Amino acid sequence: MSTQMIRSVDGNGNGDGDGNGDGNGEGGSPWRRAHKPDLIITSVLLVVFVVAFLMAKGWRDLAAYFPLGVSGAGVIASASFLVRVLFFPPKPEAPKTDVPEAAKSVAEQEYEFFKNLALRDWITSICWLGGFFVALVVFGIYVAVVAFAVSYLRFQAAKSWWFAWIYAIVLGGVIYGIFGIALKLPLPAGLLSLG
């Protein structure tokens, strides 16, 4: 018997190689099927959250509430995901055959989208982002949000003036209501102090 045949036949004569005799071809223990990048990233995040939690325990009570809550939630989420990665790994997928264009995964669709962007598209996007941040620094958050929303919706998204203005005013009002009234948090006022 060749070495290839010895490796591919498990103890019960099934050729799936996972050793459990079911012949389903799932390929090894859950530990061997664990997605290694998920395992590494989750382990690192768990360590970071545990260290952050332990550091925050040394702070005064009032200062420690938020970091303890965030790092505690991070520890719980990381630990639960680590259990999922180690003990409940995904089953191997069947090989894909002819997949129609409409059935491509989101990642494949995004790759195709970004691959087909021209230099002009990238420059336009960077100019919109840069314009927003310049307006933020000069005029403040409230004026920048309203001005950016109106100009972007009208000229880039080709929406009507009515839609752009209503959207911008509602957005500015929501931001002011949350940060200015409810939370009483100051937001950037800009160099002209208009915000």
Side-chain angles (χ1 to χ4, degrees), residues 110-143:
E110 288 174 355
Y111 175 76
E112 290 293 324
F113 172 78
F114 284 110
K115 187 175 85 172
N116 294 326
L117 286 177
L119 179 62
R120 180 175 183 236
D121 299 324
W122 286 104
I123 292 172
T124 302
S125 297
I126 290 170
C127 287
W128 278 109
L129 287 172
F132 173 74
F133 285 110
V134 167
L136 180 66
V137 169
V138 174
F139 300 111
I141 188 77
Y142 300 116
V143 174

Side-chain angles (χ1 to χ4, degrees), residues 58-79:
W59 296 358
R60 293 180 318 200
D61 287 340
L62 189 57
Y65 286 146
F66 185 73
L68 284 173
V70 170
S71 59
V75 167
I76 292 168
S78 297

